[in-house]
Amino acid sequence: MPLQKARMHRLIRIAALLKENRYPNSETLEQEFSRISIEENLDIECGKKTILRDMKLLETEFKCPLAFDRARNGYYLKHHGWEFIAPALLDENEMLAAVIGARIAEKIFPAPLKNKIRNAVDYLLKNNNPEFLDSANMGSLNILSGLYADIDPDIFMTLFQGWQSNHCVKISYADWKGELSERTIEPHTLVFYNNSWYTKAFCYLKSQPRTFALRRIKQAKLLQSDFDPDQEIIDSVNPDNFLDFSKIANVRLRVKNHTLDRLRSSPLHTEQVIREDGTVDIPAVAKEVLFPFLLSQEGNAVLLEPAELKAEFKGILQNMLEQY
């Protein structure tokens, strides 16, 4: 059963007194907990029967080498090699963050990492009893955007370890044509984007930063050579420029009301300007992002400028129409 906070605080105080050879007993502990409740504003005041149950718990659950000295009328440790490994005492907000984090991890991380996160939170729940779990149905907290592309767990963990410890990784990478190449990379970032995992890394083969989709990595080996994190590469991971597509500058759209709402919630650029007349000025956007957006809006978003980009998109539409 999860330990209540008050009980865990009492166990910690009892363990400290035992370590200090203070020979506590139920009477002195009752007085001590009463004092602490007043002076430290901790609600741990209790009676002698509760204290005796706490002492028994230390013996059975935490393997405390407890003994009673009749001459000193108090408890002591038969040997001081015992360590009281106290579980973390987290408040409601901290536990809520941990539980929600575990739910998200289950959706976006592959095994075995998601299992490690789940196990860590289960351990916290074993030793903490947050009140929100009495009423909240955590099974109804859903994350519909999740990891759908299969990623080899060993490859993911190799990249994760390289990112975590700043070590280079040798990979076999398949491009969009399926052609393989051997590369040594510095994984400066790990990014979950559009239901898939990527790393923005420095590539020794190309001598420049490149973005790699983890689903396209066929083999990965952690190397002994390390690297210093590159803040410029880390800072380049943002919604405007992540996938390294070429950008078209100064794009203007005319959009209808419900599409304006879509652009407010999912902007095509973080510095886009939505005007009162329904036009939207976009500082820069890739065709790979803009064209799918225009098609998805079914004519409710119209490309106005630049003229050459408008002509290119019109040609795509005409080609599509001919096929139907």
Side-chain angles (χ1 to χ4, degrees), residues 110 147-152 155-156 159-160 169-181 183 185 187 189-203 209-220 242-245:
L147 179 63
Y148 301 124
D150 289 333
I151 299 178
D152 185 296
I155 289 175
F156 183 88
L159 268 294
F160 184 85
V169 179
K170 184 177 181 180
I171 64 173
S172 177
Y173 191 73
D175 63 16
W176 65 276
K177 297 178 181 178
E179 296 178 356
L180 288 174
S181 60
R183 302 166 183 252
I185 64 171
T189 72
L190 276 178
V191 185
F192 186 71
Y193 178 77
N194 277 357
N195 301 331
S196 194
W197 279 100
Y198 299 83
T199 178
K200 188 73 172 284
F202 184 83
C203 175
R210 287 293 177 95
T211 300
F212 299 95
L214 267 61
R215 67 181 184 276
R216 291 182 177 172
I217 297 177
K218 304 306 178 182
Q219 292 181 332
F242 171 56
L243 291 179
D244 299 328
F245 293 134

Side-chain angles (χ1 to χ4, degrees), residues 40-58:
E40 301 183 26
N41 196 30
L42 283 175
D43 186 18
I44 63 173
E45 191 171 7
C46 64
K48 293 179 183 178
K49 288 184 178 179
T50 299
I51 291 170
L52 290 174
R53 286 195 291 268
D54 289 344
M55 304 295 285
K56 188 67 176 177
L57 184 67
L58 279 176

Side-chain angles (χ1 to χ4, degrees), residues 129-318:
N129 189 23
E131 292 183 3
F132 70 84
L133 288 180
D134 294 339
S135 58
N137 177 11
M138 299 309 295
S140 64
L141 177 65
N142 290 315
I143 296 92
L144 297 181
S145 295
L147 179 63
Y148 301 124
D150 289 333
I151 299 178
D152 185 296
D154 292 335
I155 289 175
F156 183 88
M157 288 306 299
T158 300
L159 268 294
F160 184 85
Q161 291 165 5
W163 163 78
Q164 186 179 39
S165 63
N166 299 329
H167 278 79
C168 295
V169 179
K170 184 177 181 180
I171 64 173
S172 177
Y173 191 73
D175 63 16
W176 65 276
K177 297 178 181 178
E179 296 178 356
L180 288 174
S181 60
E182 301 294 321
R183 302 166 183 252
T184 297
I185 64 171
E186 300 173 355
H188 291 271
T189 72
L190 276 178
V191 185
F192 186 71
Y193 178 77
N194 277 357
N195 301 331
S196 194
W197 279 100
Y198 299 83
T199 178
K200 188 73 172 284
F202 184 83
C203 175
Y204 284 91
L205 180 65
K206 301 296 183 180
S207 298
Q208 61 182 323
R210 287 293 177 95
T211 300
F212 299 95
L214 267 61
R215 67 181 184 276
R216 291 182 177 172
I217 297 177
K218 304 306 178 182
Q219 292 181 332
K221 179 182 178 182
L222 191 67
L223 302 178
Q224 292 185 350
S225 53
D226 58 7
F227 62 88
D228 293 323
D230 188 319
Q231 196 61 45
E232 187 174 347
I233 294 177
I234 296 170
D235 291 342
S236 71
V237 176
N238 59 69
D240 299 330
N241 162 66
F242 171 56
L243 291 179
D244 299 328
F245 293 134
S246 298
K247 308 293 191 303
I248 308 299
N250 302 320
V251 172
R252 174 169 288 186
L253 307 178
R254 182 177 67 248
V255 301
K256 296 183 179 179
N257 286 336
H258 62 278
T259 301
L260 285 174
D261 185 63
R262 155 72 171 75
L263 283 174
R264 290 188 182 99
S265 61
S266 300
L268 294 175
H269 193 283
T270 55
E271 296 181 8
Q272 69 182 19
V273 177
I274 299 177
R275 304 190 183 281
E276 292 183 1
D277 63 358
T279 57
V280 180
D281 291 331
I282 304 168
V285 63
K287 290 186 289 185
E288 291 85 351
V289 174
L290 177 63
F291 287 178
F293 167 77
L294 293 172
L295 290 169
S296 71
Q297 297 309 304
E298 300 177 340
N300 293 310
V302 178
L303 177 58
L304 301 178
E305 298 176 12
E308 59 273 18
L309 187 63
K310 180 179 179 180
E312 182 179 349
F313 185 62
K314 185 176 180 180
I316 292 172
L317 294 176
Q318 290 173 335

